Protein backbone atom coordinates (compact mmCIF):
# COMPACT_ATOMS: atom_id res chain seq x y z
CA UNK A 1 0.00 0.00 0.00
CA UNK A 2 2.94 2.33 0.61
CA UNK A 3 4.00 2.03 -3.04
CA UNK A 4 0.50 2.97 -4.26
CA UNK A 5 0.44 5.99 -1.96
CA UNK A 6 3.80 7.09 -3.36
CA UNK A 7 2.49 6.71 -6.89
CA UNK A 8 -0.60 8.79 -6.12
CA UNK A 9 1.56 11.49 -4.53
CA UNK A 10 3.80 11.44 -7.59
CA UNK A 11 0.78 11.89 -9.86
CA UNK A 12 -0.44 14.85 -7.82
CA UNK A 13 2.67 16.88 -8.71
CA UNK A 14 1.68 17.34 -12.40
CA UNK A 15 -1.82 18.32 -11.26
CA UNK A 16 -0.38 21.05 -9.04
CA UNK A 17 1.91 22.30 -11.83
CA UNK A 18 -0.96 22.20 -14.35
CA UNK A 19 -3.19 24.17 -11.95
CA UNK A 20 -0.51 26.76 -11.22
CA UNK A 21 0.12 27.26 -14.94
CA UNK A 22 -3.61 27.69 -15.59
CA UNK A 23 -3.90 30.25 -12.79
CA UNK A 24 -0.92 32.27 -14.04
CA UNK A 25 -2.20 32.06 -17.62
CA UNK A 26 -5.63 33.35 -16.60
CA UNK A 27 -3.98 36.12 -14.58
CA UNK A 28 -1.98 37.49 -17.53
CA UNK A 29 -4.94 37.53 -19.93
CA UNK A 30 -6.86 40.74 -20.50
CA UNK A 31 -10.20 41.11 -18.71
CA UNK A 32 -12.07 42.30 -21.79
CA UNK A 33 -10.96 39.23 -23.75
CA UNK A 34 -12.99 37.01 -21.43
CA UNK A 35 -16.13 39.06 -22.14
CA UNK A 36 -15.41 39.32 -25.86
CA UNK A 37 -15.01 35.55 -26.11
CA UNK A 38 -18.37 35.03 -24.39
CA UNK A 39 -16.84 33.21 -21.43
CA UNK A 40 -17.21 33.93 -17.73
CA UNK A 41 -15.37 36.91 -16.30
CA UNK A 42 -11.69 36.95 -15.43
CA UNK A 43 -12.30 37.12 -11.65
CA UNK A 44 -14.59 34.07 -11.92
CA UNK A 45 -11.86 32.01 -13.58
CA UNK A 46 -9.18 33.27 -11.21
CA UNK A 47 -11.31 32.19 -8.24
CA UNK A 48 -12.17 28.79 -9.76
CA UNK A 49 -8.57 28.05 -10.76
CA UNK A 50 -7.23 29.31 -7.42
CA UNK A 51 -9.62 27.06 -5.52
CA UNK A 52 -8.66 24.13 -7.76
CA UNK A 53 -4.98 24.75 -7.03
CA UNK A 54 -5.49 25.02 -3.26
CA UNK A 55 -7.66 21.89 -3.21
CA UNK A 56 -5.02 19.94 -5.15
CA UNK A 57 -2.43 21.03 -2.59
CA UNK A 58 -4.50 20.10 0.46
CA UNK A 59 -6.47 16.98 -0.44
CA UNK A 60 -5.18 13.64 -1.74
CA UNK A 61 -5.60 12.97 -5.45
CA UNK A 62 -8.13 10.17 -5.04
CA UNK A 63 -10.73 12.28 -3.21
CA UNK A 64 -13.43 13.91 -5.32
CA UNK A 65 -12.43 17.57 -4.77
CA UNK A 66 -9.12 17.44 -6.71
CA UNK A 67 -10.93 15.59 -9.49
CA UNK A 68 -13.48 18.43 -9.72
CA UNK A 69 -10.59 20.91 -9.73
CA UNK A 70 -8.89 18.96 -12.51
CA UNK A 71 -12.09 19.13 -14.56
CA UNK A 72 -12.21 22.93 -14.07
CA UNK A 73 -8.57 23.24 -15.16
CA UNK A 74 -9.20 21.08 -18.23
CA UNK A 75 -12.26 23.18 -19.16
CA UNK A 76 -10.11 26.31 -18.91
CA UNK A 77 -7.39 24.87 -21.17
CA UNK A 78 -9.70 23.23 -23.71
CA UNK A 79 -12.50 25.81 -23.99
CA UNK A 80 -11.69 29.17 -22.41
CA UNK A 81 -8.00 29.66 -23.23
CA UNK A 82 -8.31 29.03 -27.00
CA UNK A 83 -11.32 31.35 -27.23
CA UNK A 84 -9.46 34.10 -25.37
CA UNK A 85 -6.36 33.68 -27.52
CA UNK A 86 -8.50 33.86 -30.66
CA UNK A 87 -10.00 37.16 -29.51
CA UNK A 88 -6.48 38.48 -28.98
CA UNK A 89 -6.23 38.45 -25.23
CA UNK A 90 -2.56 37.63 -25.01
CA UNK A 91 -0.54 38.39 -21.93
CA UNK A 92 1.98 41.14 -21.45
CA UNK A 93 4.47 42.12 -24.09
CA UNK A 94 3.70 41.99 -27.77
CA UNK A 95 0.15 41.21 -28.82
CA UNK A 96 1.06 39.37 -31.98
CA UNK A 97 2.32 40.69 -35.26
CA UNK A 98 5.84 41.33 -36.31
CA UNK A 99 8.48 43.64 -34.90
CA UNK A 100 8.29 45.65 -38.13
CA UNK A 101 4.60 46.49 -37.70
CA UNK A 102 3.95 50.20 -37.59
CA UNK A 103 0.86 52.14 -36.55
CA UNK A 104 -0.73 51.64 -40.01
CA UNK A 105 0.29 48.04 -40.66
CA UNK A 106 3.45 46.14 -41.54
CA UNK A 107 6.40 48.06 -42.94
CA UNK A 108 7.33 46.65 -46.35
CA UNK A 109 10.41 48.73 -47.12
CA UNK A 110 8.69 51.18 -49.48
CA UNK A 111 7.65 48.54 -52.00
Amino acid sequence: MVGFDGLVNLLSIPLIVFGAFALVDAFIRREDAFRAAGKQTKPFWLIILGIALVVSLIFPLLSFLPIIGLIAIIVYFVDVRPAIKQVGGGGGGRRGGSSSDGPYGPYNGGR
Side-chain angles (χ1 to χ4, degrees):
M1 200 66 179
V2 174
F4 180 72
D5 189 43
L7 178 66
V8 169
N9 288 337
L10 190 64
L11 289 176
S12 67
I13 294 171
L15 174 62
I16 294 168
V17 171
F18 196 46
F21 181 74
L23 184 63
V24 169
D25 185 72
F27 183 75
I28 64 171
R29 301 292 172 186
R30 291 189 347 235
E31 179 16 297
D32 59 338
F34 284 85
R35 285 179 279 137
K39 304 301 174 188
Q40 294 289 332
T41 63
K42 181 177 180 174
F44 172 83
W45 280 106
L46 289 175
I47 290 169
I48 294 296
L49 295 172
I51 290 172
L53 180 61
V54 169
V55 163
S56 66
L57 288 169
I58 294 174
F59 293 101
L61 184 63
L62 293 180
S63 65
F64 72 95
L65 289 176
I67 302 298
I68 293 171
L70 178 63
I71 291 169
I73 294 168
I74 290 172
V75 167
Y76 176 77
F77 271 109
V78 171
D79 183 41
V80 178
R81 186 172 187 249
I84 293 170
K85 286 178 78 170
Q86 186 177 14
V87 169
R94 292 188 0 212
R95 301 261 192 260
S98 143
S99 63
S100 65
D101 284 355
Y104 306 107
Y107 176 73
N108 61 6
R111 291 185 223 141

